[in-house]
């Protein structure tokens, strides 16, 4: 293991300043500074607030990661950074910092794709990825199905959301129900006291023959149902609404993921992204994968949400594959396509 390079990973695509350090597929540090509390009163992430928070958190979070790993700057062999997709201003902070560290340390720089990093991070817990595998990434900004022949070289888009991402729908429904931001954990918690069969909410694009997702109609259906109950003077049982909404989301996600596995003859499914921390999604995916004979991989919740470890993990794969490092001219690309793993 000592012969494998030490990679510092920097993640600033949204509201969390994540710094990770890995050696090969061994995680040495995963330090996160979140500005979530600063956004909560707005009910969503404010890009300018996030960017300023990254500026303030960058240096102390890097230093904390080095301390956690018991390393010095001189030990670092390469720097990897999320170059996109994400919030433009937030990405710029991370990319500028990564360039500075790489230049100052005299080590290679790797600009990587945020979504591909969510795939690569699973290797820190479960070892090398099967080739190929199907990956489903679900978060506040993305709901994507991918065919991954090799995460360091080749990622193919199979389907994505046509409107709201799953995590975005969780946040909006939480607001309707009077639950705090971010909505995902609070809906998950409330749903444990309710029934997923209490209300028959719609399943968007479930049988449309594509591998795309749509959650905007579901979000609207929940809002209309709640409005109608309140207008008629009836009580809204939040746990039942939360559970029924959650069931509609995870039902579609798991069915589409297994459709992708069958269509492409793949026996391994990876689920990543912030929504992959949802307890019902993890349980239903496990149940349906076992029934279908598909092997399921889901990282522990702390590696599902945005973090620097995932960026370092993908950077390590790029180093191992002999990929040419990025130049110091790499841009921050808020709409970087998933098919571009490395810039």
């Amino acid at each position: 293991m000592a012969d494998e390079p030490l990679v510092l990973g920097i993640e600033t695509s949204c509201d969390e300043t994540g710094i990770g350090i890995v050696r090969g597929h061994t995680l040495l540090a995963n330090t996160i500074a979140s500005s979530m509390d600063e956004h909560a009163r707005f009910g969503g992430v404010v890009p300018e607030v996030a960017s300023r928070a990254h500026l303030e958190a960058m240096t102390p979070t890097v230093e904390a990661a080095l301390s956690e790993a018991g390393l010095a700057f001189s030990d670092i062999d390469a720097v990897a950074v999320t170059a996109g997709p994400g919030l433009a201003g937030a990405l710029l902070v991370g990319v500028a910092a990564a360039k500075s560290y790489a230049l100052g340390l005299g080590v290679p720089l790797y600009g990587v794709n945020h979504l591909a990093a969510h795939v690569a991070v699973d290797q820190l817990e479960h070892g090398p990825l099967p080739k190929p595998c199907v990956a489903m990434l679900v978060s506040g900004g993305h709901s994507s199905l991918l065919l991954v022949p090799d995460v360091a070289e080749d990622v193919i888009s199979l389907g994505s959301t046509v409107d709201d991402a799953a995590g975005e729908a969780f946040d909006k429904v939480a607001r309707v129900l009077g639950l705090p931001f971010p909505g995902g954990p609070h809906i998950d918690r409330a749903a444990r006291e309710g029934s997923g069969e209490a209300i028959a909410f719609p399943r968007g694009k479930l049988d449309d023959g594509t591998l795309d997702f749509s959650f905007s109609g579901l979000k609207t259906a929940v809002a209309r149902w709640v409005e109608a109950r309140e207008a008629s003077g009836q009580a809204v049982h939040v746990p039942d609404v939360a559970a029924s909404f959650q069931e509609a989301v995870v039902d579609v996600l798991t069915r589409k993921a297994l459709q992708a596995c069958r269509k492409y003859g793949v026996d391994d499914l990876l689920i990543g992204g912030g929504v992959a921390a949802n307890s019902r999604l993890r349980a239903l995916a496990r149940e349906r994968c076992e029934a279908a004979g598909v092997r399921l991989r889901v990282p522990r919740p702390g590696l599902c949400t945005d973090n620097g470890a995932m960026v370092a993990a993908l950077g390590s794969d790029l180093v191992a594959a002999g990929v040419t490092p990025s130049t110091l001219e790499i841009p921050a690309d808020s709409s970087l396509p998933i098919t571009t793993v490395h810039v």
Side-chain angles (χ1 to χ4, degrees):
M1 186 180 72
D3 294 332
E4 295 177 305
L6 274 166
V7 180
L8 173 73
I10 299 175
E11 156 60 27
T12 63
S13 66
C14 192
D15 63 315
E16 290 167 323
T17 308
I19 306 298
I21 302 175
V22 305
R23 187 190 293 277
H25 290 155
T26 300
L27 178 60
L28 302 179
N30 188 28
T31 307
I32 296 174
S34 176
S35 60
M36 183 61 68
D37 291 345
E38 298 177 51
H39 304 284
R41 64 192 178 100
F42 300 105
V45 176
V46 181
E48 181 62 20
V49 172
S51 300
R52 290 179 180 274
H54 288 310
L55 280 170
E56 295 173 0
M58 182 59 64
T59 298
T61 310
V62 170
E63 291 175 348
L66 288 168
S67 177
E68 179 183 335
L71 299 170
F73 275 113
S74 57
D75 295 315
I76 300 300
D77 297 310
V79 176
V81 62
T82 296
L87 302 175
L91 290 169
L92 282 168
V93 176
V95 169
K99 290 178 179 179
S100 299
Y101 284 123
L103 182 62
L105 296 173
V107 299
L109 171 68
Y110 293 87
V112 307
N113 190 296
H114 175 83
L115 300 181
H118 270 304
V119 177
V121 74
D122 184 71
Q123 299 173 107
L124 301 180
E125 188 165 7
H126 298 127
L129 291 173
K131 297 182 180 182
C133 68
V134 166
M136 180 171 68
L137 304 183
V138 279
S139 67
H142 306 280
S143 297
S144 305
L145 275 169
L146 312 169
L147 180 63
V148 186
D150 186 332
V151 71
E153 299 178 0
D154 191 14
V155 176
I156 301 164
S157 177
L158 304 179
S160 61
T161 184
V162 299
D163 42 51
D164 288 356
E168 184 179 1
F170 270 90
D171 290 337
K172 292 178 177 178
V173 168
R175 183 184 297 183
V176 169
L177 296 177
L179 298 174
F181 175 85
H186 297 286
I187 286 181
D188 192 358
R189 193 173 301 116
R192 294 170 193 171
E193 305 299 322
S195 168
E197 299 177 355
I199 308 163
F201 287 131
R203 270 69 165 159
K205 298 185 74 65
L206 182 58
D207 297 308
D208 68 341
T210 77
L211 293 174
D212 291 329
F213 301 100
S214 171
F215 297 108
S216 180
L218 169 60
K219 168 208 66 182
T220 302
V222 175
R224 296 292 177 264
W225 190 92
V226 171
E227 290 170 1
R229 296 282 289 190
E230 292 176 338
S232 65
Q234 300 180 73
V236 174
H237 189 240
V238 170
D240 278 349
V241 179
S244 298
F245 160 74
Q246 179 175 268
E247 194 68 20
V249 173
V250 303
D251 183 24
V252 172
L253 289 173
T254 53
R255 289 184 187 276
K256 289 267 187 176
L258 287 172
Q259 286 174 18
C261 290
R262 286 193 296 270
K263 182 175 181 179
Y264 291 91
V266 175
D267 295 326
D268 293 275
L269 172 65
L270 164 68
I271 303 179
V275 180
N278 179 272
S279 62
R280 179 56 182 154
L281 174 58
R282 297 168 82 94
L284 187 59
R286 188 179 307 111
E287 174 188 323
R288 289 181 169 174
C289 282
E290 287 178 358
V294 171
R295 292 179 290 271
L296 176 66
R297 295 166 62 119
V298 189
R300 60 183 181 270
L303 293 180
C304 290
T305 51
D306 292 350
N307 59 83
M310 68 187 202
V311 178
L314 181 53
S316 180
D317 286 336
L318 294 170
V319 172
V323 173
T324 302
S326 306
T327 70
L328 291 176
E329 284 72 43
I330 61 168
D333 187 348
S334 61
S335 58
L336 186 69
I338 182 56
T339 49
T340 303
V341 174
H342 165 252
V343 296

